Amino acid sequence: MPVPVIGIDLGTTNSVVAVYDGSSFRVIEDPINGKLTPSVVSFHPSSEVLIGKPARERRLIDAANTIFSIKRLIGLPYKSPILRQARQRYPFKLVEGPADSILVRARTRSFTLPEISALVLGRLRKIAENELGETCTDAVVTVPANFNDLQRTATRDAARIAGLNVLRIINEPTAAALAYGYRSDKRERIAVYDLGGGTFDISVLDLAGEVFQVAATAGDPYLGGDDVDNMIAERMGKFFLERFRIDLSVQPDTYERLRVASEWLKCELTEREKALVYADDIARGDRGAPLDLEFELERQELEKMAFPLIGRSFDKCEEAMRIAGMRPAQVQRVILVGGSTRAPQVRKMVAEYFDQEPMTDLDPDLVVAHGAALQGHALVMARTKKRAAKERLAPASVSDAYSTEPLGYEQQPRYRPGDLDWVLTEDAAQEPITKVAARPAGVPTEPVPQPP
Ligand code: ADP
Ligand code: MG
C-alpha cells in the first residue's frame, strides 16, 4: 500500500482527520476527542499544552489562556475590523505582532496564529500516525471558499509548523461535493449550506465533469451554533435571576458553565421534543448554601428563539444567489455541512428556501474531511501512475513509486467569483487540466467577473 495522504478539515470549532484507501473512508478517532477534535488549545500552568476536549474544558476555569476560533483570524492583518471585534469578544489577549500581524498571548508567551493552529494540526497528525502505524506527512487541507491568499498561506504555514506537507488546499464546499461523488458529465449547480459552530458559509458550485467552479460565496463570520447556545444561556440566566435574584452572567466561569449546559440542551433537542438540564452548585445563596439550576426547554420554544438567527443565513443565501444569477429553486442539489445543520429546524428552513430536500446522507460534520481524504487518495494514485509512466514499467512496489514530487498543477490560490477550483481525480491525474471551464449552458447567468 502506498503511504496515505491524510485529509484534514481544520474547522473553526472542530477539526477532523480522515483517510481513504480506495474503497473505504475512515475518520481517525482520537482516544480522547473521538472523531471531532475541538480546535481549542489551552496553556496549562504546568506548561503542558492541552488540545481538543481537555482544552475546551479549561475554558470554564482558565479562559485567558484557552485559545479557540483562531480560524476566524488566521491570515488577517492586525488592522482588520474583524480583529477589532474579536478583541472585544474573546477572553484571551490578541496583540499586535511584527508587520501588522496578530499574536496571541497566553501565560508568558506570544504565539502567531499559525503556531496555534499548528498545535491542532499536530495532534491530528499524531493520531493518524498512531492509528495507521506510519509517518503521515502529506496532507490535503480544506479552507472556506472565500479564504484569500493570505489566509491560505497562513493555513499552509500552520501545516508546515506541524510537520505536514500540504499537497493541496481545497475549498470546503468542493470537498463536500466530492464526498457526495459528484463528478458527472452533466453540468450541475449545487449549493453547499455550511452552518458550523461560529460561522456560516453558503457556496454555489458549478460542476462540470471533474472541474468544480465556485460560482458564488457569501457568509457571516459570526453566525453559528454558538449563537444559539448563547441565546439559551441567556434564557437560563434570566430564569435563575427571576428565581434567586442572582445574576450568573457577571461571573465568566459560571457563564461558561451555562454555555456548556446550553449546547448540550440544544443538541438534545435535535433528538427529542423536550429536554431538561441540571447544573449543581452553580451559585451560592444565603449563608453560602449551594444553589442548583434546573432548566427545561421544548424544541418548539428553542425554534422560536432561534428563528431570526437562522433566518439571517438566508439573507446570505440571497446574496449568493444574486452573485450566481439564479433563483434558489434552480439549484440542482443542496448539500448540508456543519454540525448545526443536524437541527431539524435548519433542515426544514433550508428545504423551504431551496424548494427541495437537502442531501443529508453523509454526516454533516465529517463530510468535508471525507472529501479531503478522497482528494488525498487521488493524489497518491496520480503520483503512482506518473512515476510508473516515467519508468515505462510497473514499479516493483507501489510505495517505491511514491515521491514528494509536486503534481501537474496547482489550484487557483485565491477565490474570486468565476475562479476555478481545480480538482484532481484519479482519472484526470495524467493530464494536467489547463483549460478554463466555460460557463454552463442553460444556467441563467449574470455577468460574473472572470479570473484575470
Ligand atoms: P466548524 O465547522 O465551525 O468547526 P462544526 O461543523 O463542527 O463546526 O459544528 C459545530 C456546531 O454544531 C456546534 O455549535 C455544535 O453545537 C453544533 N452541533 C453539533 N451537533 C449538533 C446537534 N445534534 N444538533 C444541533 N447542533 C449541533
Ligand atoms: Mg466546518
Side-chain angles (χ1 to χ4, degrees), residues 20 30 87 145 162 189 191 198 200 230 253 261 279 311-312 322 354 367 370 374 387 389 411 414 418 420 438 440 448:
Y20 181 74
D30 185 317
R87 289 193 56 190
R189 277 204 162 182
F200 171 68
N230 284 330
D253 295 356
R312 268 169 53 202
R322 243 191 340 266
F354 288 101
V367 63
H370 190 153
L374 285 176
R387 179 60 73 85
Q411 79 162 56
R414 183 170 47 186
L420 291 179
V448 171

Side-chain angles (χ1 to χ4, degrees), residues 2-8 18-20 121 135-143 152 155-160 163-171 371-384 386 401-413 421-424:
V3 182
V5 172
I6 54 178
I8 295 180
V19 279
Y20 181 74
L121 289 168
T135 312
C136 298
T137 45
D138 289 341
V140 170
V141 180
T142 58
V143 295
R152 285 167 199 256
T155 305
R156 273 184 192 275
D157 287 346
R160 188 176 36 73
L164 288 166
N165 173 36
V166 177
L167 297 184
R168 191 141 308 177
I169 296 254
I170 61 170
N171 291 329
L374 285 176
Q375 182 70 168
H377 179 257
L379 290 167
V380 172
M381 298 317 287
R383 268 183 180 175
T384 308
K386 199 174 160 198
Y402 184 68
S403 79
T404 52
E405 234 175 85
L407 272 141
Y409 57 86
E410 258 294 343
Q411 79 162 56
Q412 298 274 2
D421 194 3
W422 293 121
V423 167
L424 181 77

Side-chain angles (χ1 to χ4, degrees), residues 9-16 36-39 56 69 71-72 172 194-201 223-229 262-271 302 337-344 346 364-366 368:
D9 169 10
L10 179 62
T12 310
T13 315
N14 295 304
S15 297
V16 182
L36 302 181
T37 295
S39 309
R56 196 176 57 186
S69 289
K71 185 174 173 184
R72 277 210 194 98
E172 288 162 9
D194 180 350
L195 190 61
T199 54
F200 171 68
D201 289 293
L223 175 63
D226 296 352
D227 299 301
V228 179
D229 305 344
S262 301
E263 184 180 8
W264 181 87
L265 198 58
K266 173 189 75 177
C267 294
E268 280 299 297
L269 290 174
T270 286
E271 306 302 324
L302 169 68
V337 176
S340 300
T341 64
R342 286 177 188 279
V346 174
D365 8 65
L366 306 178
V368 169

Side-chain angles (χ1 to χ4, degrees), residues 7-141:
I8 295 180
D9 169 10
L10 179 62
T12 310
T13 315
N14 295 304
S15 297
V16 182
V17 57
V19 279
Y20 181 74
D21 63 8
S23 60
S24 63
F25 162 74
R26 172 153 146 232
V27 173
I28 315 256
E29 286 205 41
D30 185 317
I32 296 172
N33 295 303
K35 289 182 177 171
L36 302 181
T37 295
S39 309
V40 185
V41 174
S42 185
F43 297 92
H44 197 271
S46 71
S47 82
E48 197 187 344
V49 181
L50 305 170
I51 295 155
K53 278 188 185 151
R56 196 176 57 186
E57 278 158 23
R58 300 282 303 171
R59 269 184 79 169
L60 294 174
I61 45 176
D62 190 16
N65 298 296
T66 302
I67 320 300
F68 59 89
S69 289
I70 279 308
K71 185 174 173 184
R72 277 210 194 98
L73 307 175
I74 199 163
L76 296 182
Y78 186 76
K79 280 199 280 289
S80 154
I82 298 178
L83 177 82
R84 219 172 311 130
Q85 271 181 319
R87 289 193 56 190
Q88 287 160 9
R89 289 168 187 242
Y90 290 13
F92 46 86
K93 267 212 181 84
L94 293 158
V95 299
E96 187 168 3
D100 199 24
S101 67
I102 305 168
L103 296 177
V104 169
R105 269 200 80 75
R107 303 260 161 237
T108 53
R109 268 196 65 189
S110 298
F111 299 85
T112 65
L113 305 190
E115 279 173 338
I116 299 288
S117 293
L119 290 165
V120 176
L121 289 168
R123 173 83 194 176
L124 300 178
R125 180 188 164 193
K126 199 168 119 197
I127 59 168
E129 290 183 338
N130 286 350
E131 175 83 16
L132 303 171
E134 314 191 54
T135 312
C136 298
T137 45
D138 289 341
V140 170
V141 180

